[in-house]
């Protein structure tokens, strides 16, 4: 893979990071050990071999002289995959609870700079001891951390999927057949200059339109919703939930809209239950969720940059009726879709394309603090392959995605569908949301409530 400049949005993610606000995505994958094998046996070596074969995972970020403030992806000549793949035994106790606790602690730590920005941890269970259920002692987990500059959610799945049995061989065969790609010049030729100038004018016109939408949508009271905004403690906590995809589809067929509408309404209802149980006043203005939308084409190459926009969605937590909450979410998402992902205040990520690299480097602190003015919570869906997956013959049983927290915010929710289930990963500031498990339970309670509208 040749050296390439970071795209503007990737550069923004790279510079937005701080010690208290690491900008990496994560996933906690749970497997069942193969018969006769100890949990996690041989997995670190297999992960190391397969990860080292993914070209993107051998790239690091380095500064460049031109453009000023820019950075580039370059092959790490000293790449050592064993710096990135590690084994950690879990303490004694419930496997799922211990895995969540350790995963939350590991998500607190920013990725090391100067090397390829990703890590994998194999989490092995403690000896279950006499009388323990065999299944409980046969599970192990893999935690993956990948910097948002390296990939958005869809691309992270495409890169990370290369470690699974079903994809590793296909990927290797495809790379053997692939033709070399000639290096791209960072400077345009004379024949490109006029086209680039026209493109920049069009980008500027579009940016002004999005900027006006952002200003109109901004709240000039930066406090946001009290339950969802907090000064960062630098700590992270993970909680998980599992929803039945069949139940989600039953609600969708009964009420109309999309499965994603049902999931967003489930988030709204879970937040309402959580706030009421906490004794929090329900906000007069609905808390706003940022719902990322990929602009990536399915056939885009693995090395391409982040291509994200987003919708802004008011979550109707003050509405007491579950069906009315779903109808409100569906109507708002229909309006978002009619405008499209390149219009409206939620498309502020596209403004990155109109800014020079130096602006990203110098303006990152201001941009990071601006998130709470626009939205209160991130809710993202991460697509997974539909096929059954395994690692070294160990079947994948669950995969919980994790999203980074914006500065000043205390909660992010990510959802992925796999094997007839929807796996929900909730990441929160550990001190601001110590009762995150209660919110996770609310997801199941709200879906049960929505099922009452289904025939």
């Amino acid at each position: 893979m040749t050296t390439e400049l970071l795209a503007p949005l990737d550069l923004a993610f790279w510079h937005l990071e701080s010690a208290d606000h690491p900008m990496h995505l994560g996933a906690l994958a749970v497997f069942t050990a193969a018969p006769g094998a100890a949990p996690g046996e041989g997995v670190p070596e297999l992960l190391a071999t397969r990860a080292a074969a993914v070209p993107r995972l051998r790239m690091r970020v380095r500064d460049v002289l031109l453009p000023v403030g820019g950075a580039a992806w370059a092959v790490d000549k000293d790449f050592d995959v064993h710096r990135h793949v590690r084994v950690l035994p879990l303490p004694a106790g419930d496997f799922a609870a211990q895995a969540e606790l350790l995963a939350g602690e590991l998500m607190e730590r920013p990725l090391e700079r100067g090397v390829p920005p990703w890590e994998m941890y194999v989490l092995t269970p403690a000896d279950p001891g006499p009388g323990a259920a065999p299944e409980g002692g046969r599970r192990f987990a893999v935690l993956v951390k990948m910097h948002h500059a390296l990939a958005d959610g869809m691309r992270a799945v495409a890169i990370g999927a290369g470690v699974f049995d079903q994809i590793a061989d296909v990927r290797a065969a495809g790379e053997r057949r692939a033709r070399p790609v000639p290096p791209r010049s960072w400077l345009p030729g004379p024949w490109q200059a006029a086209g680039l100038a026209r493109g920049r004018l069009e980008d500027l016109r579009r940016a002004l339109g999005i900027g006006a939408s952002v200003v109109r949508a901004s709240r000039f009271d930066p406090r946001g919703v009290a339950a969802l905004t907090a000064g960062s403690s630098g700590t992270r906590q993970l909680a998980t939930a599992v929803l039945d995809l069949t139940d989600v589809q039953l609600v969708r067929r009964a009420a109309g809209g999309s499965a994603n509408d049902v999931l967003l309404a489930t988030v709204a209802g879970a937040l309402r239950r959580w706030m009421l149980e906490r004794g929090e006043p329900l906000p007069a203005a609905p808390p706003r969720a940022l719902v990322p939308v990929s602009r990536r084409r399915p056939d885009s190459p693995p090395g391409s940059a982040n291509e994200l926009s987003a919708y802004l969605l008011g979550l109707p937590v003050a509405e007491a009726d579950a069906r009315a909450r779903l109808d409100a979410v569906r109507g708002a998402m229909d309006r978002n879709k009619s405008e499209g992902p390149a219009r409206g205040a939620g498309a502020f990520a596209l403004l990155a394309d109109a800014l020079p690299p130096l602006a990203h480097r110098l303006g990152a602190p201001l941009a990071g603090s601006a998130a709470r003015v626009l939205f209160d919570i991130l809710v993202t869906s991460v697509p997974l392959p539909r096929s059954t997956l395994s690692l070294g013959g160990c079947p994948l049983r669950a995969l919980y995605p994790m999203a980074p927290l914006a500065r000043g915010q205390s909660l992010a929710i990510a959802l992925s569908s796999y094997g007839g289930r929807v796996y929900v990963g909730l990441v929160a500031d550990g001190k601001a949301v110590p009762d995150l498990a209660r919110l996770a339970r609310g997801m199941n309670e709200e879906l049960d409530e929505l099922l009452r509208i289904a025939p």
Side-chain angles (χ1 to χ4, degrees), residues 298-322:
D299 58 349
S300 57
S304 55
N306 277 277
E307 294 187 22
L308 289 175
S309 183
Y311 296 135
L312 286 181
L313 170 69
L315 297 173
V317 298
E319 173 56 61
D321 182 72

Side-chain angles (χ1 to χ4, degrees), residues 26 28 100-101 103-104 107 228 236-243 266-267 270-271 274 377-380 399-405 410-416 422-430 433 435-444:
L28 181 66
E100 288 182 12
L101 181 63
M107 287 295 288
L228 300 176
R236 293 293 180 270
Q237 184 180 83
L238 169 67
T240 62
V242 182
L243 308 177
T266 301
V267 170
L271 285 172
W274 175 66
I377 180 175
L378 175 72
V379 184
T380 182
L399 194 149
Y400 301 98
M402 289 173 275
L405 290 182
S410 56
L411 177 65
I413 299 178
L415 310 98
S416 286
V422 179
Y423 294 97
V424 186
L426 302 94
V427 175
D429 183 284
V433 190
D435 54 347
L436 188 61
R438 176 65 192 89
L439 177 56
R441 291 195 300 273
M443 296 286 293
N444 296 95

Side-chain angles (χ1 to χ4, degrees), residues 60-444:
R60 69 178 183 88
V61 177
R62 66 177 181 85
D63 292 335
V64 296
L65 293 177
L66 292 174
V68 177
W73 291 108
V75 174
D76 184 0
K77 296 180 180 178
D78 299 317
F79 177 71
D80 179 1
V81 71
H82 298 289
R83 293 184 63 178
H84 301 264
V85 180
R86 302 162 192 168
V87 182
L88 291 176
L90 293 171
D94 179 75
F95 171 83
Q98 293 298 333
E100 288 182 12
L101 181 63
L102 183 53
E105 293 174 358
L106 292 171
M107 287 295 288
E108 294 175 7
R109 307 175 188 175
L111 292 163
E112 183 182 354
R113 296 199 170 209
V115 298
W118 63 274
E119 294 173 346
M120 294 183 187
Y121 294 88
V122 181
L123 309 182
T124 57
D127 184 350
E135 177 67 15
R138 292 180 56 227
R139 286 179 293 171
F140 68 93
V142 175
L143 174 68
V144 180
K145 294 168 56 178
M146 192 174 296
H147 202 285
H148 211 333
L150 181 64
D152 54 29
M154 183 177 291
R155 188 53 55 196
V157 169
I159 295 173
V163 304
F164 289 109
D165 300 337
Q166 291 76 10
I167 299 171
D169 293 340
V170 174
R171 181 190 293 273
E175 287 173 356
R176 285 193 295 268
R177 292 192 300 267
R179 296 179 178 178
V181 178
R184 294 178 297 171
S185 171
W186 295 356
L187 297 175
W191 60 91
Q192 296 174 302
L196 286 174
R198 288 192 297 270
R200 295 302 293 175
L201 288 174
E202 176 59 26
D203 288 345
L204 180 59
R205 184 195 64 78
R206 183 179 60 172
L208 288 173
I210 296 172
S213 297
V214 169
V215 171
R216 288 194 298 269
S218 297
R219 296 171 302 198
F220 294 99
D221 178 359
R223 292 173 295 178
V225 178
L228 300 176
T229 57
S232 176
S233 68
T235 61
R236 293 293 180 270
Q237 184 180 83
L238 169 67
T240 62
V242 182
L243 308 177
D244 192 312
L245 186 56
T246 300
D247 291 345
V248 173
Q249 296 293 359
L250 283 173
V251 176
R252 180 194 63 79
R253 286 193 290 269
S258 68
N260 198 47
D261 294 341
V262 177
L263 293 173
L264 289 168
T266 301
V267 170
L271 285 172
R272 173 185 170 84
R273 294 168 184 271
W274 175 66
M275 289 179 181
L276 289 174
E277 191 164 307
R278 275 182 140 209
E280 296 270 358
L282 296 176
R288 289 196 288 192
L290 185 74
V291 183
V293 180
S294 176
R295 298 183 296 119
R296 188 184 304 283
R297 294 198 304 257
D299 58 349
S300 57
S304 55
N306 277 277
E307 294 187 22
L308 289 175
S309 183
Y311 296 135
L312 286 181
L313 170 69
L315 297 173
V317 298
E319 173 56 61
D321 182 72
R323 174 60 186 264
R325 287 195 293 271
L326 176 54
D327 290 342
V329 166
R330 185 182 61 188
M333 287 302 289
D334 285 346
R335 290 190 293 273
N336 276 328
K337 292 171 187 175
S338 68
E339 288 188 351
R343 299 179 61 188
F348 64 87
L350 302 183
L351 293 174
D353 292 334
L355 297 177
L358 187 59
H360 289 296
R361 185 181 291 269
L362 299 180
L366 179 61
S369 301
R372 68 192 305 174
V373 178
L374 279 174
F375 62 95
D376 302 288
I377 180 175
L378 175 72
V379 184
T380 182
S381 294
V382 181
L384 294 179
R386 295 185 180 182
S387 59
T388 301
L389 300 173
S390 61
L391 178 62
C394 305
L396 175 66
R397 298 303 187 193
L399 194 149
Y400 301 98
M402 289 173 275
L405 290 182
R407 187 170 299 166
Q409 296 175 341
S410 56
L411 177 65
I413 299 178
L415 310 98
S416 286
S417 298
Y418 173 76
R421 301 282 190 271
V422 179
Y423 294 97
V424 186
L426 302 94
V427 175
D429 183 284
K431 292 187 177 179
V433 190
D435 54 347
L436 188 61
R438 176 65 192 89
L439 177 56
R441 291 195 300 273
M443 296 286 293
N444 296 95

